[in-house]
Amino acid sequence: MKIVQVLPALNSGGVERGTVEFAREIAAQGHHSIVVSSGGRMVDQLVAEGTEHIEMPVHKKSLSSLLQVRPMRKLLTELKPDIVHVRSRIPAWIVWLAWRKMPPSTRPGLVSTFHGMYSVTPYSAIMGKAERVISISDCVHQYILDNYDVPPENITRIYRGLDPSAFNPRACSEQWRATLLKQYPELEGKRIILMPGRLSRWKGQEAFLQMMAKLIEREPGVHGVVVGAAEANKEHYLDELLQLRDKLGLNDKVTFVGHRSDIQAFYGVADITCHMSSKSEPFGRTVPEALACGCAVAAYNRGGASESLNAGFQQGLVEPDNIAAFASRVSDLLRTKYDIYLPKEFYLESQVQGTLAVYESLLQQKR
């Protein structure tokens, strides 16, 4: 098949990383893989791994993006792809407006992925106009059914798959561990409680600090590590977190390490990974990432994050928003040895097979 994926940019983030990984896998299987985006730091990797990249300004949340409809129709007419897969709302509008004016007998199959629980507006409804819709978790699947006019038979739930070559129990080498301890000597001899994720109010870093204050009363040998940077123009939130750390007396008990590209190694060195978002996440990628690396996880029992935990490590589930219960659970996990299992449906191979099956089913129906 000739497959075109369209997304705003290729800089960073779960959607972008997932697109690049999926493109690599389908190219390796012999499909003609093309990605259309406004560009970004991941383009070189994408091209090196066998995918063609076409740069196009499909990222602006502005009416000016409608000027890209005709160029997109021209591009699709020239490329003659079998499938166009849209992964974000602005690209979805551009592609759909271009696609609907193409001859039905020759236009490509149109697929979208709901990567989030988007606002229920006409703007977001574009994601449901594709011929086939993929949801990244059961909670997103239900959200689509509850809020958008999409026939149930057109929706397929396919979890975002992890690359086992990156996320596995061997992800942390002794050399990496030694380098980390040299950089952060306060971690030496401590049991590491990890909090990964960009610094954002709803991601739960404040709750994590409050939980650590309670946990240290039970487990004085622990040390918290927060991995992640503040979003652009929200750097002040880091200052607020540092002030809260000081107020709770945790200056020598919690370390902020900023943005890291080696998160898999942190899972390998951690005793427990925490997921404490204050609202349901569509997927919660850090949970299966940690489990794949053999790290126990504690997370609130809601949203997409709870789905992988229910499947692979139910001992880590905690009543939502109960910080005292969370500290108690982390303490229990530290004192007990558990088997950790992550089903194959959370790995990249299953995602690729499931997505290609959606493509093939759509093309068969069109034929």
Side-chain angles (χ1 to χ4, degrees):
M1 288 181 281
K2 182 184 284 189
I3 299 160
V4 175
Q5 298 183 81
V6 191
L7 72 164
L10 284 168
N11 283 312
S12 63
V15 175
E16 292 89 336
R17 183 164 39 141
T19 299
V20 171
E21 290 173 348
F22 178 71
R24 180 191 69 213
E25 295 301 309
I26 61 175
Q29 292 188 25
H31 300 287
H32 186 170
S33 174
I34 302 169
V35 169
V36 178
S37 83
S38 63
R41 66 174 70 99
M42 299 179 75
V43 169
D44 289 346
Q45 176 188 347
L46 179 84
V47 173
E49 292 174 345
T51 289
E52 177 183 353
H53 180 260
I54 298 173
E55 189 167 328
M56 194 170 182
V58 291
H59 62 296
K60 296 179 182 177
K61 293 182 179 179
S62 162
L63 287 174
S64 65
S65 287
L66 296 177
L67 297 174
Q68 300 305 316
V69 173
R70 283 190 176 182
M72 178 62 74
R73 186 181 301 123
K74 181 174 183 291
L75 177 65
L76 295 179
T77 300
E78 291 173 351
L79 290 175
K80 295 182 174 61
D82 297 290
I83 294 290
V84 178
H85 190 158
V86 293
R87 296 185 175 275
S88 186
R89 288 170 288 182
I90 286 296
W93 273 108
I94 294 170
V95 169
W96 182 74
L97 290 170
W99 174 86
R100 70 173 183 165
K101 291 292 182 68
M102 297 175 71
S105 60
T106 58
R107 66 189 180 192
L110 182 59
V111 177
S112 71
T113 291
F114 268 74
H115 284 280
M117 291 180 277
Y118 305 121
S119 56
V120 185
T121 62
Y123 167 64
S124 298
I126 187 63
M127 299 302 291
K129 291 185 179 294
E131 295 174 291
R132 290 289 187 276
V133 174
I134 293 171
S135 62
I136 62 169
S137 63
D138 289 331
C139 69
V140 171
H141 192 120
Q142 190 59 50
Y143 185 84
I144 297 170
L145 292 174
D146 292 343
N147 295 287
Y148 297 95
D149 185 22
V150 180
E153 63 272 17
N154 287 356
I155 310 172
T156 304
R157 191 271 288 142
I158 303 174
Y159 287 124
R160 289 167 59 185
L162 301 175
D163 182 354
S165 68
F167 297 95
N168 60 69
R170 303 172 302 284
C172 178
S173 68
E174 287 302 318
Q175 181 180 358
W176 184 93
R177 187 188 300 264
T179 301
L180 180 73
L181 292 177
K182 186 175 181 180
Q183 187 174 4
Y184 301 102
E186 66 270 26
L187 305 183
E188 183 75 55
K190 300 294 185 180
R191 305 199 71 181
I192 304 302
I193 312 301
L194 185 68
M195 180 65 177
R198 71 180 183 275
L199 303 186
S200 183
R201 293 192 188 280
W202 69 274
K203 282 289 191 177
Q205 284 87 10
E206 291 172 66
F208 176 74
L209 291 174
Q210 293 162 0
M211 187 278 296
M212 284 298 299
K214 294 181 181 297
L215 178 64
I216 285 167
E217 295 176 3
R218 294 167 170 255
E219 309 288 347
V222 300
H223 194 102
V225 174
V226 179
V227 179
E231 297 174 306
N233 302 318
K234 294 184 180 179
E235 290 81 1
H236 60 86
Y237 184 54
L238 173 58
D239 295 332
E240 292 181 35
L241 291 172
L242 295 176
Q243 290 171 18
L244 178 59
R245 180 180 69 170
D246 182 51
K247 181 181 177 182
L248 293 171
L250 297 173
N251 282 349
D252 60 344
K253 297 291 186 180
V254 175
T255 299
F256 286 75
V257 301
H259 172 73
R260 301 286 300 230
S261 58
D262 51 359
I263 184 61
Q264 63 270 33
F266 277 92
Y267 295 133
V269 79
D271 290 273
I272 310 288
T273 293
C274 298
H275 188 285
M276 304 184 73
S277 296
S278 61
K279 60 183 180 181
S280 295
E281 286 216 38
F283 183 67
R285 187 173 179 126
T286 60
V287 175
E289 283 181 350
L291 294 177
C293 292
C295 181
V297 177
Y300 289 140
N301 189 10
R302 64 178 166 209
S306 70
E307 293 178 31
S308 51
L309 208 53
N310 266 297
F313 191 67
Q314 294 182 4
Q315 300 93 331
L317 294 166
V318 181
E319 176 189 353
D321 303 316
N322 189 333
I323 292 175
F326 204 104
S328 177
R329 183 58 49 82
V330 172
S331 178
D332 291 343
L333 294 176
L334 286 170
R335 294 170 178 268
T336 311
K337 186 72 174 177
Y338 292 103
D339 291 327
I340 297 171
Y341 168 71
L342 187 65
K344 65 179 182 180
E345 61 186 337
F346 291 94
Y347 284 97
L348 187 56
E349 182 180 357
S350 291
Q351 179 197 340
V352 172
Q353 291 176 348
T355 305
L356 290 176
V358 170
Y359 295 169
E360 290 161 358
S361 171
L362 173 57
L363 293 177
Q364 187 173 9
Q365 183 187 49
K366 290 171 79 71
R367 284 194 289 266

